[in-house]
Amino acid sequence: YQLDLIKAHELWDEMGTTVTGDKVILCIIDSGIYRPGHEDLDRITLGTDWTGNNNVDTNGHGTAIAGLAGATIGNGKGIAGVGNFEIYITRVYDGVDIYQYEVNNIVNAINECGEQAIGNTNVVVSMSFTLSYDQNIDNALTNVYDSGKVLFVASSGNGENGHESVSFPANHDDVIAVGAINENRQIWPYSNTGPEIELVAPGVSLYSTWVGSSSTYQGGLVGTSFAVPLVAGVAAMIWSIDTSKANHFIREVLYSTAEDLGSKDRKSVV
């Protein structure tokens, strides 16, 4: 249902399904990707694994994020993502717990994603995690965003702060904060809310690529994490139309063209 809600088919009808890497790259900072490779993810570039595990996804989170954004469209396998993107993977946490992270790894990954914005290529960064506030991470986000060529998208959080406060880094001024809705356009009860919420997207009962084998998929995925790659994918599709535009312009297009669901915390990505 997520592709219907974000009107992906309308995007495909207008501009096709493929975004080439010389226009926009989707950089995913997460738990890595299924190795040696998934049947539905065929445009993957492995960046740095800052945990030293060769980008191997040991819990499925990063692989699911990649699939929701960029599972190959039209290959007759599994699912379809938002678009056929060049996906750049950088791994920042090991095991099942994002809270087991090192600040330097996050800073390094943010800078690495920014370094992919070469020439006419722009970068959309998917960050499906929440962290304790850190000044070094804050500075890295600002410095990379100020280039005008990188757009950050992050999850608002899953009830960590009593639902009424958007978590870091989504609450950063230079990051699009994303909440989660269900197929009926209702806000997911555990989706953190607050004035920093910029968009919401489907994040309940989703199905995506997973770890285990090259043909493993997982259903029942829920959380603001899984709404992020949908927004990031739409952003990449829109930006590919005119890569001369700056990140703040694309951000405004996303917000101004989204469907108003009746609340400052429920602006949709459709």
Side-chain angles (χ1 to χ4, degrees):
Y1 76 92
Q2 71 269 20
L3 295 179
D4 291 333
L5 284 193
I6 67 172
K7 299 180 181 177
H9 296 88
E10 293 183 15
L11 283 173
W12 300 344
D13 289 343
E14 181 175 344
M15 54 181 299
T17 60
T18 298
V19 174
T20 56
D22 61 341
K23 291 184 176 180
V24 183
I25 291 172
L26 185 60
C27 188
I28 298 177
I29 302 175
D30 213 283
S31 64
I33 197 79
Y34 176 71
R35 303 292 308 277
H38 197 283
E39 65 176 9
D40 221 4
L41 296 168
D42 61 4
R43 299 178 70 192
I44 301 294
T45 298
L46 297 178
T48 304
D49 183 341
W50 296 102
T51 71
N53 195 36
N54 200 29
N55 277 298
V56 175
D57 187 1
T58 56
N59 66 58
H61 192 272
T63 302
I65 298 302
L68 289 167
T72 305
I73 300 167
N75 66 349
K77 299 176 181 178
I79 64 169
V82 180
N84 292 330
F85 305 111
E86 298 289 346
I87 297 177
Y88 189 93
I89 301 293
T90 178
R91 189 173 190 263
V92 294
Y93 68 95
D94 201 2
V96 298
D97 190 358
I98 182 57
Y99 298 104
Q100 297 176 358
Y101 66 91
E102 296 183 14
V103 168
N104 286 342
N105 290 349
I106 305 294
V107 171
N108 288 335
I110 290 168
N111 290 329
E112 182 177 2
C113 287
E115 290 166 0
Q116 308 315 306
I118 302 170
N120 294 325
T121 298
N122 297 318
V123 177
V124 178
V125 183
S126 172
M127 302 187 296
S128 291
F129 51 79
T130 61
L131 310 168
S132 298
Y133 176 79
D134 182 86
Q135 187 65 55
N136 292 317
I137 297 173
D138 186 312
N139 292 342
L141 290 167
T142 298
N143 291 338
V144 173
Y145 185 82
D146 283 350
S147 71
K149 295 179 64 61
V150 179
L151 189 64
F152 294 104
V153 186
S155 50
S156 68
N158 301 335
E160 293 97 335
N161 300 307
H163 313 315
E164 297 300 324
S165 177
V166 175
S167 299
F168 184 76
N171 61 6
H172 191 283
D173 287 344
D174 297 327
V175 177
I176 296 175
V178 177
I181 57 173
N182 64 20
E183 61 185 321
N184 297 315
R185 291 180 167 82
Q186 298 168 326
I187 200 77
W188 179 52
Y190 295 98
S191 180
N192 282 3
T193 61
E196 300 91 349
I197 291 289
E198 204 158 327
L199 296 165
V200 295
V204 180
S205 300
L206 300 183
Y207 185 80
S208 189
T209 48
W210 199 250
V211 297
S213 76
S214 63
S215 58
T216 299
Y217 298 84
Q218 179 70 33
L221 300 174
V222 59
T224 57
S225 282
F226 303 112
V228 167
L230 301 177
V231 174
V234 171
M237 293 289 281
I238 292 173
W239 210 350
S240 71
I241 297 172
D242 186 352
T243 57
S244 70
K245 299 297 186 183
N247 50 10
H248 60 82
F249 178 86
I250 302 304
R251 190 172 180 177
E252 177 57 32
V253 169
L254 284 171
Y255 186 81
S256 64
T257 58
E259 178 183 352
D260 190 345
L261 296 182
S263 165
K264 67 181 187 301
D265 294 336
R266 294 181 62 193
K267 188 78 167 166
S268 177
V269 73
V270 293

